[in-house]
């Protein structure tokens, strides 16, 4: 499927019935808290993505949004197909490997959320995600748990710092 920039791949108005493989593009996951968007992750090409889903929950709307931040191409993989193939040994190996990747990413996000300083969170995120310039600053600020002004000050301060040669 092809999704244009800023369009939703999934929203709470739809059943969360598929996972996706992002071929190219940039996607974010986010939840809403009142009128405020809280970005929960960013992914660029060649990765699996999905909305938060309780195992074996069946078809239910997602409370997480998936949004393309640039024109994106994805492969939709219905959970029904994944469940149908679950009796195959190869499927279980793939599931385990995907679970390991997702667990590692979740652990990295958990560590990031616990870093007390805004500068520390930004620097940790930059080490995790090399192409931070692709992400709109308002979404990055929400992900890092800081105001847009704080993120702008941090980025300006880092630009003024001399680099080690």
């Amino acid at each position: 499927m092809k999704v244009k920039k800023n369009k939703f791949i999934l929203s709470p108005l739809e059943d969360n019935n598929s996972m996706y493989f992002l071929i190219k593009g940039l996607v974010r996951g986010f939840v809403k808290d009142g009128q405020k968007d809280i970005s929960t992750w960013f992914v660029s090409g060649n990765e699996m993505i999905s909305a938060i889903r309780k195992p074996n929950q069946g078809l239910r709307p997602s409370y997480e949004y998936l949004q393309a931040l640039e024109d994106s191409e994805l492969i939709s993989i219905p959970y029904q197909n994944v469940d149908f193939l679950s009796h195959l040994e190869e499927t279980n190996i793939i599931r385990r490997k995907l679970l390991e990747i997702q667990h590692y990413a979740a652990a990295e996000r958990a560590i990031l959320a616990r870093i007390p300083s805004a500068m520390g969170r930004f620097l940790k995120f930059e080490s995790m995600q090399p192409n931070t310039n692709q992400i709109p600053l308002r979404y990055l600020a929400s992900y890092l748990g800081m105001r847009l002004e704080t993120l702008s000050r941090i980025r300006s301060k880092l630009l003024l710092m001399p680099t080690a040669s």
Side-chain angles (χ1 to χ4, degrees):
M1 59 193 274
K2 294 182 186 228
V3 181
K4 293 284 186 192
K5 180 179 182 174
N6 296 323
K7 296 296 181 187
F8 293 122
I9 298 161
L10 180 68
S11 79
L13 300 176
E14 306 164 80
D15 283 334
N16 182 9
N17 62 2
S18 296
M19 63 175 56
Y20 305 89
F21 181 77
L22 180 61
I23 298 169
K24 71 176 189 175
L26 178 65
V27 173
R28 79 173 176 131
F30 72 97
V31 294
K32 286 198 174 256
D33 182 27
Q35 296 298 313
K36 186 178 179 182
D37 289 5
I38 302 171
S39 296
T40 54
W41 52 264
F42 301 98
V43 169
S44 53
N46 292 321
E47 291 191 52
M48 295 295 296
I49 60 172
S50 62
I52 299 167
R53 179 177 184 256
K54 184 177 179 181
N56 303 317
Q57 78 173 7
L59 287 181
R60 291 211 176 130
S62 169
Y63 62 87
E64 187 176 28
Y65 294 76
L66 304 183
Q67 181 185 26
L69 296 181
E70 56 186 44
D71 291 349
S72 300
E73 288 183 31
L74 305 100
I75 297 172
S76 175
I77 307 166
Y79 289 118
Q80 181 180 4
N81 292 5
V82 175
D83 292 341
F84 177 76
L85 296 171
S86 65
H87 68 282
L88 299 174
E89 185 178 339
E90 294 87 352
T91 304
N92 287 322
I93 292 168
I94 292 168
R95 275 185 164 175
R96 182 180 51 80
K97 289 185 182 293
L98 289 173
L99 183 61
E100 288 172 1
I101 292 166
Q102 292 295 322
H103 182 269
Y104 177 78
E108 287 282 310
R109 289 191 303 270
I111 291 167
L112 181 73
R114 287 168 176 78
I115 296 172
S117 77
M119 175 71 83
R121 286 192 305 277
F122 179 76
L123 292 172
K124 173 67 174 165
F125 180 75
E126 270 197 326
S127 74
M128 293 166 40
Q129 185 105 13
N131 297 328
T132 58
N133 292 333
Q134 293 176 280
I135 301 169
L137 293 182
R138 68 181 183 272
Y139 299 143
L140 183 55
S142 106
Y143 177 77
L144 294 173
M146 62 182 74
R147 294 188 348 251
L148 183 58
E149 298 82 6
T150 303
L151 178 58
S152 294
R153 276 194 306 275
I154 288 170
R155 288 170 46 104
S156 294
K157 185 184 283 187
L158 289 173
L159 286 174
L160 295 174
M161 292 177 86
T163 58
S165 305

